[in-house]
Amino acid sequence: MRIAVTGSIATDHLMVFPGRFTDQLLPDQLAHVSLSFLVDRLEVRRGGVAANIAYGLGGFDLSPLLVGAVGTDFAEYAVWLKEHGVDTGGVHISAEQQTARFMCITDEDANQIASFYAGAMTEAPDIDLGALVTGPDRPGLVLVSPNDPAAMLRHTADCRTLGLPFAADPSQQLARLDGDQVRELVDGATWLFTNEYEAALLKERTGWSRQEILAVVGAWVTTLGEKGVRVERAGAAPARRPRDPRRRDGRPDRCRRRLPRRFPRRRQPRRAARARRPPRLRPGLRGARRGRLAVLRS
């Protein structure tokens, strides 16, 4: 089964400052801060939730279709993704803006100062799924992962119109979405992905109970950090997969790469939660959102 992965595509610029931010702040001058930090190290990583997940699926020879918006600076990244089995035919290239970029400085106390430039991602709502998923390569599942909120809503609506099963992964964007928007993203999803905090925030935003959420989705996958993964369906006992101490399987994005491989077989939650170990994630694709990949690899 082919999978279309919609969401953010970005690069992460990670820097290290060999000191403490707090030593540079003057209490009586906080209303007039103007600082520049000379950093010792810069690491540029390929990132973005959709790109990370698509890379993981490509490692299983699934030829996932990546759907997102980038700038003309995406060329080298695109070649790298294609070399790793990702179909970039669904990527929109902006003529005016650069690819989204996350920039972060970390000091020796692990404090961080960060910024995120959305750039071309703001054009993602212009992408028409209907024009991308027709023909013999029509995907059997569309993953709607963090992106421009308007794009997430449009892709979900397009899936309903086209009769395509979809997986909802609102994650970081839950903070930006109101109750009606979250309900729109979740209602009718074949799979719903959250971590523990996002699960609580999802219930708060929607006003739905756990049982009410399970009534409108096919299955709800919750990553539990050190405790592993929980998979739930309405009318079935929750299934849990403990974290393997030798690996970091509790990281949500890595789990997200694992489950879609099992979708065609319509496995029950307990079998999906016990999915086999995937190939190791290459360091080049670790980024600020790397934690959002794990579930889709089962």
Side-chain angles (χ1 to χ4, degrees), residues 1-4 6 65 128-135 137-144 155-167 187-190:
M1 179 187 68
R2 196 171 194 219
I3 300 170
T6 75
L65 175 66
D128 178 14
L129 278 185
L132 300 175
V133 300
T134 56
D137 288 334
R138 176 184 173 93
L141 180 80
V142 176
L143 173 64
V144 181
H155 296 335
T156 302
D158 285 349
C159 286
R160 293 192 180 98
T161 300
L162 297 167
L164 288 170
F166 66 95
D187 194 3
T190 301

Side-chain angles (χ1 to χ4, degrees), residues 217-237:
V217 302
W220 185 1
V221 180
T222 305
T223 56
L224 307 171
E226 294 297 314
K227 300 176 184 177
V229 179
R230 180 179 66 235
V231 184
E232 301 173 274
R233 289 186 191 271

Side-chain angles (χ1 to χ4, degrees), residues 146-200:
N147 200 351
D148 182 280
M152 296 172 71
L153 291 165
R154 175 171 184 178
H155 296 335
T156 302
D158 285 349
C159 286
R160 293 192 180 98
T161 300
L162 297 167
L164 288 170
F166 66 95
D169 177 18
S171 59
Q172 300 104 316
Q173 294 294 34
L174 281 171
R176 282 280 305 271
L177 302 166
D178 62 31
D180 288 339
Q181 291 173 323
V182 177
R183 286 189 287 269
E184 180 69 14
L185 290 175
V186 170
D187 194 3
T190 301
W191 293 83
L192 169 63
F193 295 110
T194 63
N195 60 29
E196 279 191 291
Y197 180 80
E198 292 160 359

